[in-house]
Amino acid sequence: MSERRRSAVALSSRAHAFSVEALIGSNKKRKLRDWEEKGLDLSMEALSPAGPLGDTEDAAAHGLEPHPDSEQSTGSDSEVLTERTSCSFSTHTDLASGAAGPVPAAMSSMEEIQVELQCADLWKRFHDIGTEMIITKAGRRMFPAMRVKITGLDPHQQYYIAMDIVPVDNKRYRYVYHSSKWMVAGNADSPVPPRVYIHPDSLASGDTWMRQVVSFDKLKLTNNELDDQGHIILHSMHKYQPRVHVIRKDFSSDLSPTKPVPVGDGVKTFNFPETVFTTVTAYQNHHPIHHCEAQ
């Protein structure tokens, strides 16, 4: 009785192996026909890690069985490789690596940043006759106002935009009415406390800055050295150069309204020669262009 049971088990195992092999073989034949219909020249021998596909099929035809303990056959390996050839992401591992998301764009170089002066024609008209900028104790807005357009920023990086005004030279000037010219009158007065105007929209992304014209029309100039309102402190009858600074967030630790602008790879400074001006408490040159100022 026990011998019959062992024979039945052995027969069942051989039958199962034969049926699996037969299914695998027929499945491979169907795939080969599909490849041939598509006109693809792929060698299944190259895809089979255990040798030519025909060897397995011949073994099945002659009744040779795979080892009963073997979970994988040459046919199953070929099937997997064929699927991987037809689809780059056929396994969970490939899907995970392929669906990892876009690689973050490299941080734009500070060298790519450009600043363009707006109302440049108006500034040039003033520059041609000698721009004068009124300063008062209470503080006075600039006219023309500084407005710029910034490009080349990293859209995802955070930036501060700031402006300061520095002396052009170490001279004091006076206006000569009969020749309508500014002349050197002596050495400059003692330096004033440093002031930096940080644009009120700071801190903002590069994308935000590049979408708008950056205006400094709220900045005020004063000759009050004791000013506590955050205005830019300047001496009267001196020449000054406005400067616009683009400051990356990671270089902003030393940024302060009462300290010089920090320097480093994360800071880029721009100035425009046509924006140089001479500070006055009242217009010295009575050219009609000065009457265009908006009060």
Side-chain angles (χ1 to χ4, degrees):
M1 192 63 147
S2 61
E3 292 179 359
R4 290 181 179 179
R5 288 178 182 174
R6 283 196 298 272
S7 299
V9 170
L11 180 60
S12 175
S13 174
R14 287 195 298 273
H16 175 71
F18 180 79
S19 63
V20 169
E21 185 66 27
L23 287 173
I24 291 173
S26 61
N27 193 19
K28 286 184 293 187
K29 290 177 181 178
R30 285 197 300 273
K31 288 187 178 294
L32 284 171
R33 285 197 298 271
D34 291 342
W35 287 116
E36 291 172 357
E37 290 174 0
K38 293 177 182 177
L40 297 177
D41 185 17
L42 293 176
S43 171
M44 292 304 295
E45 290 183 3
L47 295 174
S48 174
L53 179 66
D55 295 346
T56 306
E57 291 180 338
D58 289 343
H62 288 85
L64 298 177
E65 301 172 354
H67 193 281
D69 295 333
S70 176
E71 291 292 331
Q72 292 182 331
S73 66
T74 305
S76 61
D77 288 339
S78 299
E79 254 188 334
V80 172
L81 288 169
T82 303
E83 292 294 334
R84 290 175 64 86
T85 305
S86 61
C87 179
S88 299
F89 304 118
S90 61
T91 67
H92 292 295
T93 303
D94 288 339
L95 284 170
S97 60
V103 178
M107 183 184 298
S108 295
S109 168
M110 295 295 287
E111 295 300 320
E112 298 176 3
I113 300 174
Q114 297 295 326
V115 173
E116 178 186 358
L117 177 67
Q118 304 296 289
C119 303
D121 291 342
L122 179 60
W123 277 103
K124 189 176 185 305
R125 288 173 61 195
F126 273 90
H127 182 71
D128 288 343
I129 65 167
T131 307
E132 298 176 11
M133 203 69 67
I134 291 182
I135 59 176
T136 64
K137 291 289 185 182
R140 176 106 167 203
R141 293 187 181 185
M142 294 175 62
F143 181 81
M146 285 288 294
R147 297 183 177 94
V148 297
K149 191 77 171 69
I150 306 175
T151 58
L153 299 172
D154 182 339
H156 307 292
Q157 181 64 254
Q158 299 288 308
Y159 299 91
Y160 288 89
I161 306 298
M163 177 175 156
D164 67 355
I165 300 175
V166 296
V168 171
D169 53 31
N170 60 350
K171 305 296 182 182
R172 177 182 173 87
Y173 291 82
R174 65 184 179 89
Y175 190 76
V176 181
Y177 290 96
H178 70 269
S179 60
S180 299
K181 292 181 180 179
W182 284 94
M183 305 290 291
V184 174
N187 293 328
D189 295 334
S190 58
V192 295
R195 288 290 174 91
V196 177
Y197 179 83
I198 302 172
H199 195 282
D201 289 346
S202 301
L203 181 71
S205 68
D207 180 66
T208 299
W209 290 120
M210 291 189 292
R211 287 174 180 268
Q212 62 181 328
V213 172
V214 182
S215 176
F216 296 92
D217 56 352
K218 294 183 179 180
L219 179 151
K220 290 186 177 182
L221 310 178
T222 183
N223 57 355
N224 179 11
E225 296 189 31
L226 301 178
D227 173 80
D228 59 358
Q229 301 299 310
H231 303 329
I232 303 294
I233 303 173
L234 305 175
H235 285 306
S236 181
M237 300 294 186
H238 290 62
K239 285 189 177 182
Y240 290 96
Q241 170 71 71
R243 304 188 304 177
V244 176
H245 308 273
V246 179
I247 306 161
R248 212 167 58 210
K249 180 182 178 181
D250 52 332
F251 276 79
S252 63
S253 58
D254 293 330
L255 182 62
S256 168
T258 58
K259 294 181 180 180
V261 175
V263 295
D265 294 337
V267 180
K268 192 167 184 182
T269 300
F270 300 86
N271 60 69
F272 307 93
E274 62 267 41
T275 62
V276 169
F277 59 80
T278 303
T279 50
V280 295
T281 54
Y283 287 126
Q284 304 297 299
N285 185 338
H286 295 286
H287 192 284
I289 194 173
H290 287 128
H291 299 287
C292 298
E293 179 180 2
Q295 300 297 327

